Amino acid sequence: MHPEHPAPDPGSVLRLADIGEDAPRSLLARFGLMLAPVADGEPIPGSFWGDEEAGIIGTTVYARGDTPVHSLLHEAGHLIVLPAERRAGVHTDATDSVEEEDATCYLQIVLADALPGVGRDRLMADMDAWGYTFRLGSSRAWFERDAENARRFLLDRGLPVDLRG
């Protein structure tokens, strides 16, 4: 965190319950993924971080109403950047390289533009509030000035780098 930025409140991030399941379900389906809702208070299958963080198993993203939207999009992004033949074997941890992790962070920002009431600006603010760290101090600075490798990774695989317009 940069000293000139106040400490953000992770409790203020958008949650799945705030936006509903329909738009995320439709977005994930565009990439051959499924959204599996998890009942309140139940553990989230395939969650790497536990608590309210989204989980992944195969082509399914698991989330509860209290799951942050940024977490849902991040885990979905992990599956999207993987070749289809690798998705089936995924359980909880999908990353095997820094390049994939960077591409996933970039893609989650792009995917936010496809969700009504979310968008990249809100998602980047939520990422910063949650504690994602980037070399330039914020997700926006990274996305706009330091993410060419992630953008190239996505383009080389025919994945979207912008969903606006």
mmCIF file of all heavy atoms in Angstrom, residues 84-101:
data_model
loop_
_atom_site.group_PDB
_atom_site.id
_atom_site.type_symbol
_atom_site.label_atom_id
_atom_site.label_comp_id
_atom_site.label_asym_id
_atom_site.label_seq_id
_atom_site.Cartn_x
_atom_site.Cartn_y
_atom_site.Cartn_z
ATOM 1 N N ALA A 84 -8.400 -25.727 -22.249
ATOM 2 C CA ALA A 84 -9.549 -26.561 -21.870
ATOM 3 C C ALA A 84 -9.124 -27.910 -21.302
ATOM 4 O O ALA A 84 -9.720 -28.398 -20.341
ATOM 5 C CB ALA A 84 -10.475 -26.743 -23.063
ATOM 6 N N GLU A 85 -8.087 -28.496 -21.852
ATOM 7 C CA GLU A 85 -7.658 -29.822 -21.393
ATOM 8 C C GLU A 85 -7.086 -29.801 -19.971
ATOM 9 O O GLU A 85 -7.042 -30.818 -19.300
ATOM 10 C CB GLU A 85 -6.662 -30.466 -22.361
ATOM 11 C CG GLU A 85 -5.343 -29.734 -22.523
ATOM 12 C CD GLU A 85 -5.347 -28.620 -23.562
ATOM 13 O OE1 GLU A 85 -6.425 -28.290 -24.115
ATOM 14 O OE2 GLU A 85 -4.257 -28.064 -23.822
ATOM 15 N N ARG A 86 -6.666 -28.634 -19.493
ATOM 16 C CA ARG A 86 -6.147 -28.531 -18.122
ATOM 17 C C ARG A 86 -7.224 -28.221 -17.100
ATOM 18 O O ARG A 86 -7.055 -28.473 -15.911
ATOM 19 C CB ARG A 86 -5.061 -27.463 -18.039
ATOM 20 C CG ARG A 86 -3.724 -27.958 -18.578
ATOM 21 C CD ARG A 86 -2.568 -26.997 -18.347
ATOM 22 N NE ARG A 86 -2.473 -26.467 -17.001
ATOM 23 C CZ ARG A 86 -1.958 -25.276 -16.716
ATOM 24 N NH1 ARG A 86 -1.509 -24.489 -17.668
ATOM 25 N NH2 ARG A 86 -1.890 -24.855 -15.465
ATOM 26 N N ARG A 87 -8.338 -27.672 -17.561
ATOM 27 C CA ARG A 87 -9.394 -27.269 -16.633
ATOM 28 C C ARG A 87 -9.939 -28.445 -15.828
ATOM 29 O O ARG A 87 -10.205 -28.316 -14.646
ATOM 30 C CB ARG A 87 -10.552 -26.619 -17.381
ATOM 31 C CG ARG A 87 -10.246 -25.253 -17.893
ATOM 32 C CD ARG A 87 -11.468 -24.684 -18.559
ATOM 33 N NE ARG A 87 -11.180 -23.408 -19.177
ATOM 34 C CZ ARG A 87 -12.009 -22.777 -19.967
ATOM 35 N NH1 ARG A 87 -13.201 -23.296 -20.235
ATOM 36 N NH2 ARG A 87 -11.672 -21.624 -20.492
ATOM 37 N N ALA A 88 -10.154 -29.564 -16.489
ATOM 38 C CA ALA A 88 -10.788 -30.712 -15.826
ATOM 39 C C ALA A 88 -10.020 -31.160 -14.585
ATOM 40 O O ALA A 88 -10.614 -31.630 -13.629
ATOM 41 C CB ALA A 88 -10.934 -31.872 -16.803
ATOM 42 N N GLY A 89 -8.714 -30.978 -14.586
ATOM 43 C CA GLY A 89 -7.897 -31.418 -13.463
ATOM 44 C C GLY A 89 -7.728 -30.401 -12.358
ATOM 45 O O GLY A 89 -7.076 -30.679 -11.351
ATOM 46 N N VAL A 90 -8.335 -29.234 -12.504
ATOM 47 C CA VAL A 90 -8.156 -28.176 -11.511
ATOM 48 C C VAL A 90 -8.981 -28.466 -10.258
ATOM 49 O O VAL A 90 -10.158 -28.818 -10.335
ATOM 50 C CB VAL A 90 -8.560 -26.802 -12.093
ATOM 51 C CG1 VAL A 90 -8.618 -25.747 -11.007
ATOM 52 C CG2 VAL A 90 -7.597 -26.387 -13.182
ATOM 53 N N HIS A 91 -8.322 -28.314 -9.137
ATOM 54 C CA HIS A 91 -9.012 -28.392 -7.849
ATOM 55 C C HIS A 91 -8.311 -27.437 -6.893
ATOM 56 O O HIS A 91 -7.176 -27.693 -6.480
ATOM 57 C CB HIS A 91 -8.983 -29.813 -7.297
ATOM 58 C CG HIS A 91 -9.917 -30.036 -6.154
ATOM 59 N ND1 HIS A 91 -9.859 -29.314 -4.977
ATOM 60 C CD2 HIS A 91 -10.953 -30.889 -6.024
ATOM 61 C CE1 HIS A 91 -10.816 -29.730 -4.169
ATOM 62 N NE2 HIS A 91 -11.501 -30.685 -4.776
ATOM 63 N N THR A 92 -8.928 -26.314 -6.626
ATOM 64 C CA THR A 92 -8.482 -25.328 -5.649
ATOM 65 C C THR A 92 -7.365 -24.414 -6.143
ATOM 66 O O THR A 92 -7.456 -23.211 -5.986
ATOM 67 C CB THR A 92 -8.060 -26.004 -4.320
ATOM 68 O OG1 THR A 92 -9.109 -26.861 -3.897
ATOM 69 C CG2 THR A 92 -7.756 -24.985 -3.247
ATOM 70 N N ASP A 93 -6.316 -24.930 -6.743
ATOM 71 C CA ASP A 93 -5.169 -24.112 -7.148
ATOM 72 C C ASP A 93 -4.910 -24.301 -8.635
ATOM 73 O O ASP A 93 -4.550 -25.388 -9.066
ATOM 74 C CB ASP A 93 -3.934 -24.510 -6.340
ATOM 75 C CG ASP A 93 -2.754 -23.590 -6.568
ATOM 76 O OD1 ASP A 93 -2.895 -22.573 -7.281
ATOM 77 O OD2 ASP A 93 -1.674 -23.879 -6.032
ATOM 78 N N ALA A 94 -5.082 -23.235 -9.407
ATOM 79 C CA ALA A 94 -4.960 -23.354 -10.859
ATOM 80 C C ALA A 94 -3.685 -22.753 -11.427
ATOM 81 O O ALA A 94 -3.359 -22.993 -12.571
ATOM 82 C CB ALA A 94 -6.157 -22.679 -11.530
ATOM 83 N N THR A 95 -2.967 -21.975 -10.661
ATOM 84 C CA THR A 95 -1.828 -21.243 -11.214
ATOM 85 C C THR A 95 -0.548 -22.054 -11.152
ATOM 86 O O THR A 95 -0.229 -22.644 -10.131
ATOM 87 C CB THR A 95 -1.603 -19.938 -10.434
ATOM 88 O OG1 THR A 95 -2.765 -19.141 -10.568
ATOM 89 C CG2 THR A 95 -0.438 -19.153 -10.978
ATOM 90 N N ASP A 96 0.169 -22.049 -12.269
ATOM 91 C CA ASP A 96 1.491 -22.675 -12.233
ATOM 92 C C ASP A 96 2.576 -21.719 -12.707
ATOM 93 O O ASP A 96 3.694 -22.116 -12.911
ATOM 94 C CB ASP A 96 1.513 -23.986 -13.020
ATOM 95 C CG ASP A 96 1.385 -23.791 -14.516
ATOM 96 O OD1 ASP A 96 1.161 -22.660 -14.970
ATOM 97 O OD2 ASP A 96 1.493 -24.787 -15.251
ATOM 98 N N SER A 97 2.218 -20.421 -12.854
ATOM 99 C CA SER A 97 3.232 -19.458 -13.274
ATOM 100 C C SER A 97 2.813 -18.037 -12.922
ATOM 101 O O SER A 97 1.625 -17.741 -12.764
ATOM 102 C CB SER A 97 3.462 -19.554 -14.785
ATOM 103 O OG SER A 97 2.340 -19.042 -15.496
ATOM 104 N N VAL A 98 3.806 -17.178 -12.828
ATOM 105 C CA VAL A 98 3.554 -15.759 -12.599
ATOM 106 C C VAL A 98 2.788 -15.181 -13.786
ATOM 107 O O VAL A 98 1.884 -14.357 -13.616
ATOM 108 C CB VAL A 98 4.888 -15.004 -12.376
ATOM 109 C CG1 VAL A 98 4.668 -13.503 -12.368
ATOM 110 C CG2 VAL A 98 5.536 -15.463 -11.085
ATOM 111 N N GLU A 99 3.103 -15.646 -14.991
ATOM 112 C CA GLU A 99 2.437 -15.140 -16.192
ATOM 113 C C GLU A 99 0.938 -15.420 -16.140
ATOM 114 O O GLU A 99 0.121 -14.568 -16.484
ATOM 115 C CB GLU A 99 3.058 -15.747 -17.453
ATOM 116 C CG GLU A 99 4.471 -15.292 -17.723
ATOM 117 C CD GLU A 99 5.529 -15.977 -16.843
ATOM 118 O OE1 GLU A 99 5.249 -17.052 -16.238
ATOM 119 O OE2 GLU A 99 6.635 -15.434 -16.734
ATOM 120 N N GLU A 100 0.565 -16.639 -15.719
ATOM 121 C CA GLU A 100 -0.857 -16.965 -15.601
ATOM 122 C C GLU A 100 -1.530 -16.120 -14.526
ATOM 123 O O GLU A 100 -2.656 -15.662 -14.700
ATOM 124 C CB GLU A 100 -1.052 -18.445 -15.268
ATOM 125 C CG GLU A 100 -1.051 -19.346 -16.469
ATOM 126 C CD GLU A 100 -1.351 -20.786 -16.109
ATOM 127 O OE1 GLU A 100 -1.820 -21.080 -14.992
ATOM 128 O OE2 GLU A 100 -1.104 -21.627 -16.975
ATOM 129 N N GLU A 101 -0.856 -15.913 -13.420
ATOM 130 C CA GLU A 101 -1.430 -15.105 -12.343
ATOM 131 C C GLU A 101 -1.638 -13.668 -12.816
ATOM 132 O O GLU A 101 -2.692 -13.070 -12.550
ATOM 133 C CB GLU A 101 -0.531 -15.133 -11.105
ATOM 134 C CG GLU A 101 -1.128 -14.442 -9.909
ATOM 135 C CD GLU A 101 -2.385 -15.105 -9.355
ATOM 136 O OE1 GLU A 101 -2.500 -16.344 -9.412
ATOM 137 O OE2 GLU A 101 -3.257 -14.372 -8.860
#
